[in-house]
Amino acid sequence: LIDSIRVNSKIEQVGITSDGSMGVPKVPTNTAWYMFGPKPGQTGSAVIAGHLNWWYGAKGVFERLKYLKPGDSITVQDDHGVKTSFIVRSTRTYEPKDDVSEVFRSDDGKSHLNLVTCTGAWDKVARVYSKRLVVFADKADK
């Protein structure tokens, strides 16, 4: 749930694709949690991806992710109904060759949530966007 950009989505589980990248949601209105990392709320960096857009002009769940700003709230509810809140810390854009290890790891002993989507120019031949946008968030104090 991200009220400030009107997101209320289901979460799929994904792993690694054959090309070594993180999987993506099968449905444009869903998000996808990287199941080889911590769950949201556990120590470390949980990663959730979502589509920017979809075929034939359909909007993706993270179409408005670029509008999140520091201080905005994100809430994740698990399959037991337990809610964990996170506060946006920062955003960053990555090039394809950039080291993205900071998206998937943290060693500060705290709980983080990082949201990932596409950005940049659409490459019609490769059928992929040129960059990735990542929103970094930290677990909210109770």
Side-chain angles (χ1 to χ4, degrees), residues 28-59:
T29 55
N30 287 357
T31 57
W33 162 65
Y34 180 65
M35 67 183 182
F36 297 120
K39 290 182 179 181
Q42 293 179 333
T43 300
S45 292
V47 180
I48 293 180
H51 291 287
L52 173 66
N53 55 26
W54 197 252
W55 301 105
Y56 310 109
K59 296 175 194 255

PDB file of all heavy atoms in Angstrom, residues 28-59:
ATOM      1  N   PRO A  28       0.438  -6.919 -14.543  1.00  0.00           N
ATOM      2  CA  PRO A  28       0.900  -5.538 -14.437  1.00  0.00           C
ATOM      3  C   PRO A  28       0.464  -4.802 -13.176  1.00  0.00           C
ATOM      4  O   PRO A  28       1.117  -3.850 -12.757  1.00  0.00           O
ATOM      5  CB  PRO A  28       0.332  -4.856 -15.685  1.00  0.00           C
ATOM      6  CG  PRO A  28      -0.830  -5.680 -16.083  1.00  0.00           C
ATOM      7  CD  PRO A  28      -0.478  -7.090 -15.686  1.00  0.00           C
ATOM      8  N   THR A  29      -0.624  -5.240 -12.561  1.00  0.00           N
ATOM      9  CA  THR A  29      -1.114  -4.567 -11.350  1.00  0.00           C
ATOM     10  C   THR A  29      -0.570  -5.177 -10.070  1.00  0.00           C
ATOM     11  O   THR A  29      -0.871  -4.696  -8.981  1.00  0.00           O
ATOM     12  CB  THR A  29      -2.653  -4.592 -11.324  1.00  0.00           C
ATOM     13  OG1 THR A  29      -3.091  -5.952 -11.440  1.00  0.00           O
ATOM     14  CG2 THR A  29      -3.232  -3.751 -12.452  1.00  0.00           C
ATOM     15  N   ASN A  30       0.232  -6.250 -10.182  1.00  0.00           N
ATOM     16  CA  ASN A  30       0.861  -6.863  -9.012  1.00  0.00           C
ATOM     17  C   ASN A  30       2.285  -6.366  -8.852  1.00  0.00           C
ATOM     18  O   ASN A  30       2.890  -5.860  -9.792  1.00  0.00           O
ATOM     19  CB  ASN A  30       0.910  -8.389  -9.152  1.00  0.00           C
ATOM     20  CG  ASN A  30      -0.438  -9.040  -8.967  1.00  0.00           C
ATOM     21  OD1 ASN A  30      -1.432  -8.377  -8.670  1.00  0.00           O
ATOM     22  ND2 ASN A  30      -0.492 -10.336  -9.161  1.00  0.00           N
ATOM     23  N   THR A  31       2.830  -6.578  -7.650  1.00  0.00           N
ATOM     24  CA  THR A  31       4.246  -6.376  -7.399  1.00  0.00           C
ATOM     25  C   THR A  31       4.866  -7.756  -7.191  1.00  0.00           C
ATOM     26  O   THR A  31       4.154  -8.758  -7.102  1.00  0.00           O
ATOM     27  CB  THR A  31       4.480  -5.491  -6.162  1.00  0.00           C
ATOM     28  OG1 THR A  31       3.832  -6.083  -5.034  1.00  0.00           O
ATOM     29  CG2 THR A  31       3.946  -4.079  -6.395  1.00  0.00           C
ATOM     30  N   ALA A  32       6.200  -7.803  -7.096  1.00  0.00           N
ATOM     31  CA  ALA A  32       6.889  -9.084  -6.922  1.00  0.00           C
ATOM     32  C   ALA A  32       8.014  -8.942  -5.913  1.00  0.00           C
ATOM     33  O   ALA A  32       8.903  -8.099  -6.071  1.00  0.00           O
ATOM     34  CB  ALA A  32       7.437  -9.572  -8.262  1.00  0.00           C
ATOM     35  N   TRP A  33       7.961  -9.780  -4.888  1.00  0.00           N
ATOM     36  CA  TRP A  33       8.990  -9.801  -3.845  1.00  0.00           C
ATOM     37  C   TRP A  33      10.077 -10.795  -4.239  1.00  0.00           C
ATOM     38  O   TRP A  33       9.781 -11.918  -4.653  1.00  0.00           O
ATOM     39  CB  TRP A  33       8.357 -10.191  -2.506  1.00  0.00           C
ATOM     40  CG  TRP A  33       9.333 -10.650  -1.475  1.00  0.00           C
ATOM     41  CD1 TRP A  33      10.321  -9.904  -0.886  1.00  0.00           C
ATOM     42  CD2 TRP A  33       9.419 -11.948  -0.905  1.00  0.00           C
ATOM     43  NE1 TRP A  33      11.014 -10.679   0.006  1.00  0.00           N
ATOM     44  CE2 TRP A  33      10.474 -11.941   0.011  1.00  0.00           C
ATOM     45  CE3 TRP A  33       8.701 -13.127  -1.089  1.00  0.00           C
ATOM     46  CZ2 TRP A  33      10.834 -13.066   0.750  1.00  0.00           C
ATOM     47  CZ3 TRP A  33       9.060 -14.234  -0.364  1.00  0.00           C
ATOM     48  CH2 TRP A  33      10.116 -14.198   0.549  1.00  0.00           C
ATOM     49  N   TYR A  34      11.337 -10.391  -4.092  1.00  0.00           N
ATOM     50  CA  TYR A  34      12.490 -11.247  -4.370  1.00  0.00           C
ATOM     51  C   TYR A  34      12.646 -12.241  -3.225  1.00  0.00           C
ATOM     52  O   TYR A  34      13.112 -11.894  -2.139  1.00  0.00           O
ATOM     53  CB  TYR A  34      13.744 -10.390  -4.544  1.00  0.00           C
ATOM     54  CG  TYR A  34      14.981 -11.185  -4.838  1.00  0.00           C
ATOM     55  CD1 TYR A  34      15.099 -11.912  -6.013  1.00  0.00           C
ATOM     56  CD2 TYR A  34      16.035 -11.216  -3.935  1.00  0.00           C
ATOM     57  CE1 TYR A  34      16.243 -12.648  -6.291  1.00  0.00           C
ATOM     58  CE2 TYR A  34      17.182 -11.940  -4.209  1.00  0.00           C
ATOM     59  CZ  TYR A  34      17.280 -12.650  -5.383  1.00  0.00           C
ATOM     60  OH  TYR A  34      18.409 -13.378  -5.658  1.00  0.00           O
ATOM     61  N   MET A  35      12.233 -13.496  -3.464  1.00  0.00           N
ATOM     62  CA  MET A  35      12.108 -14.487  -2.401  1.00  0.00           C
ATOM     63  C   MET A  35      13.436 -15.012  -1.859  1.00  0.00           C
ATOM     64  O   MET A  35      13.448 -15.709  -0.850  1.00  0.00           O
ATOM     65  CB  MET A  35      11.251 -15.656  -2.871  1.00  0.00           C
ATOM     66  CG  MET A  35      11.856 -16.484  -3.955  1.00  0.00           C
ATOM     67  SD  MET A  35      10.663 -17.766  -4.426  1.00  0.00           S
ATOM     68  CE  MET A  35      11.598 -18.625  -5.646  1.00  0.00           C
ATOM     69  N   PHE A  36      14.555 -14.678  -2.483  1.00  0.00           N
ATOM     70  CA  PHE A  36      15.847 -15.116  -1.961  1.00  0.00           C
ATOM     71  C   PHE A  36      16.453 -14.089  -1.012  1.00  0.00           C
ATOM     72  O   PHE A  36      17.573 -14.255  -0.538  1.00  0.00           O
ATOM     73  CB  PHE A  36      16.810 -15.446  -3.099  1.00  0.00           C
ATOM     74  CG  PHE A  36      16.325 -16.588  -3.951  1.00  0.00           C
ATOM     75  CD1 PHE A  36      16.094 -16.423  -5.298  1.00  0.00           C
ATOM     76  CD2 PHE A  36      16.070 -17.833  -3.384  1.00  0.00           C
ATOM     77  CE1 PHE A  36      15.627 -17.471  -6.084  1.00  0.00           C
ATOM     78  CE2 PHE A  36      15.597 -18.892  -4.156  1.00  0.00           C
ATOM     79  CZ  PHE A  36      15.381 -18.701  -5.505  1.00  0.00           C
ATOM     80  N   GLY A  37      15.715 -13.039  -0.733  1.00  0.00           N
ATOM     81  CA  GLY A  37      16.127 -12.029   0.232  1.00  0.00           C
ATOM     82  C   GLY A  37      15.185 -12.059   1.419  1.00  0.00           C
ATOM     83  O   GLY A  37      14.265 -12.874   1.481  1.00  0.00           O
ATOM     84  N   PRO A  38      15.388 -11.149   2.362  1.00  0.00           N
ATOM     85  CA  PRO A  38      14.494 -11.110   3.529  1.00  0.00           C
ATOM     86  C   PRO A  38      13.087 -10.680   3.137  1.00  0.00           C
ATOM     87  O   PRO A  38      12.883 -10.001   2.125  1.00  0.00           O
ATOM     88  CB  PRO A  38      15.148 -10.066   4.438  1.00  0.00           C
ATOM     89  CG  PRO A  38      16.034  -9.267   3.565  1.00  0.00           C
ATOM     90  CD  PRO A  38      16.428 -10.136   2.417  1.00  0.00           C
ATOM     91  N   LYS A  39      12.130 -11.096   3.954  1.00  0.00           N
ATOM     92  CA  LYS A  39      10.759 -10.620   3.783  1.00  0.00           C
ATOM     93  C   LYS A  39      10.698  -9.190   4.309  1.00  0.00           C
ATOM     94  O   LYS A  39      11.460  -8.810   5.203  1.00  0.00           O
ATOM     95  CB  LYS A  39       9.787 -11.487   4.588  1.00  0.00           C
ATOM     96  CG  LYS A  39       9.622 -12.874   4.024  1.00  0.00           C
ATOM     97  CD  LYS A  39       8.618 -13.669   4.841  1.00  0.00           C
ATOM     98  CE  LYS A  39       8.444 -15.060   4.241  1.00  0.00           C
ATOM     99  NZ  LYS A  39       7.472 -15.865   4.986  1.00  0.00           N
ATOM    100  N   PRO A  40       9.781  -8.379   3.785  1.00  0.00           N
ATOM    101  CA  PRO A  40       9.638  -7.027   4.311  1.00  0.00           C
ATOM    102  C   PRO A  40       9.405  -7.042   5.823  1.00  0.00           C
ATOM    103  O   PRO A  40       8.547  -7.773   6.314  1.00  0.00           O
ATOM    104  CB  PRO A  40       8.416  -6.484   3.568  1.00  0.00           C
ATOM    105  CG  PRO A  40       8.432  -7.232   2.268  1.00  0.00           C
ATOM    106  CD  PRO A  40       8.891  -8.626   2.646  1.00  0.00           C
ATOM    107  N   GLY A  41      10.215  -6.294   6.532  1.00  0.00           N
ATOM    108  CA  GLY A  41      10.139  -6.239   7.987  1.00  0.00           C
ATOM    109  C   GLY A  41      11.241  -7.023   8.671  1.00  0.00           C
ATOM    110  O   GLY A  41      11.557  -6.776   9.824  1.00  0.00           O
ATOM    111  N   GLN A  42      11.834  -7.989   7.960  1.00  0.00           N
ATOM    112  CA  GLN A  42      12.976  -8.723   8.519  1.00  0.00           C
ATOM    113  C   GLN A  42      14.235  -7.884   8.351  1.00  0.00           C
ATOM    114  O   GLN A  42      14.289  -6.966   7.530  1.00  0.00           O
ATOM    115  CB  GLN A  42      13.159 -10.067   7.819  1.00  0.00           C
ATOM    116  CG  GLN A  42      12.053 -11.055   8.073  1.00  0.00           C
ATOM    117  CD  GLN A  42      12.263 -12.378   7.338  1.00  0.00           C
ATOM    118  OE1 GLN A  42      12.911 -12.441   6.300  1.00  0.00           O
ATOM    119  NE2 GLN A  42      11.687 -13.442   7.880  1.00  0.00           N
ATOM    120  N   THR A  43      15.266  -8.222   9.112  1.00  0.00           N
ATOM    121  CA  THR A  43      16.538  -7.530   9.010  1.00  0.00           C
ATOM    122  C   THR A  43      17.127  -7.708   7.615  1.00  0.00           C
ATOM    123  O   THR A  43      17.115  -8.801   7.060  1.00  0.00           O
ATOM    124  CB  THR A  43      17.535  -8.063  10.058  1.00  0.00           C
ATOM    125  OG1 THR A  43      16.978  -7.853  11.357  1.00  0.00           O
ATOM    126  CG2 THR A  43      18.874  -7.358   9.970  1.00  0.00           C
ATOM    127  N   GLY A  44      17.604  -6.613   7.042  1.00  0.00           N
ATOM    128  CA  GLY A  44      18.187  -6.639   5.710  1.00  0.00           C
ATOM    129  C   GLY A  44      17.342  -5.853   4.733  1.00  0.00           C
ATOM    130  O   GLY A  44      16.439  -5.103   5.126  1.00  0.00           O
ATOM    131  N   SER A  45      17.652  -6.008   3.455  1.00  0.00           N
ATOM    132  CA  SER A  45      16.948  -5.265   2.404  1.00  0.00           C
ATOM    133  C   SER A  45      16.003  -6.176   1.628  1.00  0.00           C
ATOM    134  O   SER A  45      16.447  -6.996   0.826  1.00  0.00           O
ATOM    135  CB  SER A  45      17.955  -4.643   1.436  1.00  0.00           C
ATOM    136  OG  SER A  45      18.691  -3.634   2.085  1.00  0.00           O
ATOM    137  N   ALA A  46      14.710  -6.019   1.880  1.00  0.00           N
ATOM    138  CA  ALA A  46      13.695  -6.712   1.088  1.00  0.00           C
ATOM    139  C   ALA A  46      13.517  -5.922  -0.212  1.00  0.00           C
ATOM    140  O   ALA A  46      13.560  -4.690  -0.206  1.00  0.00           O
ATOM    141  CB  ALA A  46      12.380  -6.775   1.849  1.00  0.00           C
ATOM    142  N   VAL A  47      13.332  -6.642  -1.322  1.00  0.00           N
ATOM    143  CA  VAL A  47      13.200  -5.982  -2.613  1.00  0.00           C
ATOM    144  C   VAL A  47      11.870  -6.385  -3.254  1.00  0.00           C
ATOM    145  O   VAL A  47      11.541  -7.566  -3.333  1.00  0.00           O
ATOM    146  CB  VAL A  47      14.373  -6.351  -3.552  1.00  0.00           C
ATOM    147  CG1 VAL A  47      14.219  -5.659  -4.900  1.00  0.00           C
ATOM    148  CG2 VAL A  47      15.712  -5.988  -2.909  1.00  0.00           C
ATOM    149  N   ILE A  48      11.134  -5.374  -3.711  1.00  0.00           N
ATOM    150  CA  ILE A  48       9.865  -5.589  -4.406  1.00  0.00           C
ATOM    151  C   ILE A  48       9.911  -4.827  -5.723  1.00  0.00           C
ATOM    152  O   ILE A  48      10.229  -3.633  -5.748  1.00  0.00           O
ATOM    153  CB  ILE A  48       8.665  -5.132  -3.552  1.00  0.00           C
ATOM    154  CG1 ILE A  48       8.524  -6.035  -2.324  1.00  0.00           C
ATOM    155  CG2 ILE A  48       7.387  -5.134  -4.381  1.00  0.00           C
ATOM    156  CD1 ILE A  48       7.381  -5.677  -1.407  1.00  0.00           C
ATOM    157  N   ALA A  49       9.606  -5.533  -6.813  1.00  0.00           N
ATOM    158  CA  ALA A  49       9.596  -4.925  -8.145  1.00  0.00           C
ATOM    159  C   ALA A  49       8.168  -4.775  -8.646  1.00  0.00           C
ATOM    160  O   ALA A  49       7.268  -5.506  -8.223  1.00  0.00           O
ATOM    161  CB  ALA A  49      10.392  -5.787  -9.124  1.00  0.00           C
ATOM    162  N   GLY A  50       7.989  -3.840  -9.561  1.00  0.00           N
ATOM    163  CA  GLY A  50       6.695  -3.644 -10.202  1.00  0.00           C
ATOM    164  C   GLY A  50       6.892  -3.036 -11.575  1.00  0.00           C
ATOM    165  O   GLY A  50       7.890  -2.351 -11.828  1.00  0.00           O
ATOM    166  N   HIS A  51       5.948  -3.293 -12.460  1.00  0.00           N
ATOM    167  CA  HIS A  51       6.040  -2.776 -13.823  1.00  0.00           C
ATOM    168  C   HIS A  51       5.731  -1.283 -13.883  1.00  0.00           C
ATOM    169  O   HIS A  51       4.863  -0.790 -13.164  1.00  0.00           O
ATOM    170  CB  HIS A  51       5.068  -3.520 -14.738  1.00  0.00           C
ATOM    171  CG  HIS A  51       5.454  -4.933 -14.968  1.00  0.00           C
ATOM    172  ND1 HIS A  51       6.507  -5.303 -15.771  1.00  0.00           N
ATOM    173  CD2 HIS A  51       4.928  -6.097 -14.478  1.00  0.00           C
ATOM    174  CE1 HIS A  51       6.616  -6.618 -15.785  1.00  0.00           C
ATOM    175  NE2 HIS A  51       5.671  -7.128 -15.008  1.00  0.00           N
ATOM    176  N   LEU A  52       6.424  -0.603 -14.779  1.00  0.00           N
ATOM    177  CA  LEU A  52       6.153   0.796 -15.087  1.00  0.00           C
ATOM    178  C   LEU A  52       4.901   0.893 -15.962  1.00  0.00           C
ATOM    179  O   LEU A  52       4.022   1.713 -15.734  1.00  0.00           O
ATOM    180  CB  LEU A  52       7.351   1.408 -15.826  1.00  0.00           C
ATOM    181  CG  LEU A  52       7.183   2.810 -16.376  1.00  0.00           C
ATOM    182  CD1 LEU A  52       7.024   3.802 -15.245  1.00  0.00           C
ATOM    183  CD2 LEU A  52       8.377   3.177 -17.255  1.00  0.00           C
ATOM    184  N   ASN A  53       4.846   0.040 -16.965  1.00  0.00           N
ATOM    185  CA  ASN A  53       3.685  -0.023 -17.848  1.00  0.00           C
ATOM    186  C   ASN A  53       3.598  -1.426 -18.428  1.00  0.00           C
ATOM    187  O   ASN A  53       4.364  -2.311 -18.039  1.00  0.00           O
ATOM    188  CB  ASN A  53       3.730   1.053 -18.935  1.00  0.00           C
ATOM    189  CG  ASN A  53       5.002   1.007 -19.751  1.00  0.00           C
ATOM    190  OD1 ASN A  53       5.650  -0.024 -19.881  1.00  0.00           O
ATOM    191  ND2 ASN A  53       5.388   2.139 -20.304  1.00  0.00           N
ATOM    192  N   TRP A  54       2.674  -1.616 -19.352  1.00  0.00           N
ATOM    193  CA  TRP A  54       2.398  -2.950 -19.862  1.00  0.00           C
ATOM    194  C   TRP A  54       2.045  -2.823 -21.333  1.00  0.00           C
ATOM    195  O   TRP A  54       1.948  -1.729 -21.876  1.00  0.00           O
ATOM    196  CB  TRP A  54       1.236  -3.551 -19.057  1.00  0.00           C
ATOM    197  CG  TRP A  54       1.072  -5.024 -19.168  1.00  0.00           C
ATOM    198  CD1 TRP A  54       0.083  -5.673 -19.829  1.00  0.00           C
ATOM    199  CD2 TRP A  54       1.878  -6.045 -18.584  1.00  0.00           C
ATOM    200  NE1 TRP A  54       0.216  -7.035 -19.691  1.00  0.00           N
ATOM    201  CE2 TRP A  54       1.323  -7.292 -18.926  1.00  0.00           C
ATOM    202  CE3 TRP A  54       3.019  -6.045 -17.798  1.00  0.00           C
ATOM    203  CZ2 TRP A  54       1.864  -8.507 -18.520  1.00  0.00           C
ATOM    204  CZ3 TRP A  54       3.563  -7.247 -17.395  1.00  0.00           C
ATOM    205  CH2 TRP A  54       2.991  -8.460 -17.757  1.00  0.00           C
ATOM    206  N   TRP A  55       1.814  -3.946 -21.976  1.00  0.00           N
ATOM    207  CA  TRP A  55       1.478  -3.967 -23.391  1.00  0.00           C
ATOM    208  C   TRP A  55       0.242  -3.139 -23.700  1.00  0.00           C
ATOM    209  O   TRP A  55      -0.675  -3.050 -22.896  1.00  0.00           O
ATOM    210  CB  TRP A  55       1.260  -5.410 -23.854  1.00  0.00           C
ATOM    211  CG  TRP A  55       2.467  -6.257 -23.643  1.00  0.00           C
ATOM    212  CD1 TRP A  55       2.645  -7.199 -22.681  1.00  0.00           C
ATOM    213  CD2 TRP A  55       3.681  -6.228 -24.383  1.00  0.00           C
ATOM    214  NE1 TRP A  55       3.891  -7.757 -22.773  1.00  0.00           N
ATOM    215  CE2 TRP A  55       4.555  -7.173 -23.815  1.00  0.00           C
ATOM    216  CE3 TRP A  55       4.127  -5.478 -25.472  1.00  0.00           C
ATOM    217  CZ2 TRP A  55       5.827  -7.402 -24.298  1.00  0.00           C
ATOM    218  CZ3 TRP A  55       5.402  -5.706 -25.960  1.00  0.00           C
ATOM    219  CH2 TRP A  55       6.228  -6.665 -25.375  1.00  0.00           C
ATOM    220  N   TYR A  56       0.214  -2.561 -24.889  1.00  0.00           N
ATOM    221  CA  TYR A  56      -0.936  -1.858 -25.438  1.00  0.00           C
ATOM    222  C   TYR A  56      -1.410  -0.688 -24.568  1.00  0.00           C
ATOM    223  O   TYR A  56      -2.592  -0.405 -24.482  1.00  0.00           O
ATOM    224  CB  TYR A  56      -2.086  -2.826 -25.715  1.00  0.00           C
ATOM    225  CG  TYR A  56      -1.643  -4.017 -26.510  1.00  0.00           C
ATOM    226  CD1 TYR A  56      -1.562  -5.273 -25.918  1.00  0.00           C
ATOM    227  CD2 TYR A  56      -1.257  -3.886 -27.842  1.00  0.00           C
ATOM    228  CE1 TYR A  56      -1.115  -6.374 -26.646  1.00  0.00           C
ATOM    229  CE2 TYR A  56      -0.799  -4.977 -28.571  1.00  0.00           C
ATOM    230  CZ  TYR A  56      -0.736  -6.207 -27.966  1.00  0.00           C
ATOM    231  OH  TYR A  56      -0.295  -7.282 -28.678  1.00  0.00           O
ATOM    232  N   GLY A  57      -0.462  -0.042 -23.885  1.00  0.00           N
ATOM    233  CA  GLY A  57      -0.772   1.159 -23.130  1.00  0.00           C
ATOM    234  C   GLY A  57      -1.305   0.960 -21.728  1.00  0.00           C
ATOM    235  O   GLY A  57      -1.627   1.937 -21.051  1.00  0.00           O
ATOM    236  N   ALA A  58      -1.413  -0.276 -21.271  1.00  0.00           N
ATOM    237  CA  ALA A  58      -1.882  -0.511 -19.899  1.00  0.00           C
ATOM    238  C   ALA A  58      -0.870   0.038 -18.900  1.00  0.00           C
ATOM    239  O   ALA A  58       0.334  -0.001 -19.138  1.00  0.00           O
ATOM    240  CB  ALA A  58      -2.106  -1.998 -19.666  1.00  0.00           C
ATOM    241  N   LYS A  59      -1.367   0.538 -17.801  1.00  0.00           N
ATOM    242  CA  LYS A  59      -0.502   1.113 -16.772  1.00  0.00           C
ATOM    243  C   LYS A  59      -0.003   0.026 -15.837  1.00  0.00           C
ATOM    244  O   LYS A  59      -0.736  -0.874 -15.465  1.00  0.00           O
ATOM    245  CB  LYS A  59      -1.267   2.168 -15.987  1.00  0.00           C
ATOM    246  CG  LYS A  59      -1.667   3.335 -16.870  1.00  0.00           C
ATOM    247  CD  LYS A  59      -2.520   4.314 -16.119  1.00  0.00           C
ATOM    248  CE  LYS A  59      -3.157   5.252 -17.081  1.00  0.00           C
ATOM    249  NZ  LYS A  59      -2.798   6.488 -17.264  1.00  0.00           N
TER     250      LYS A  59
END
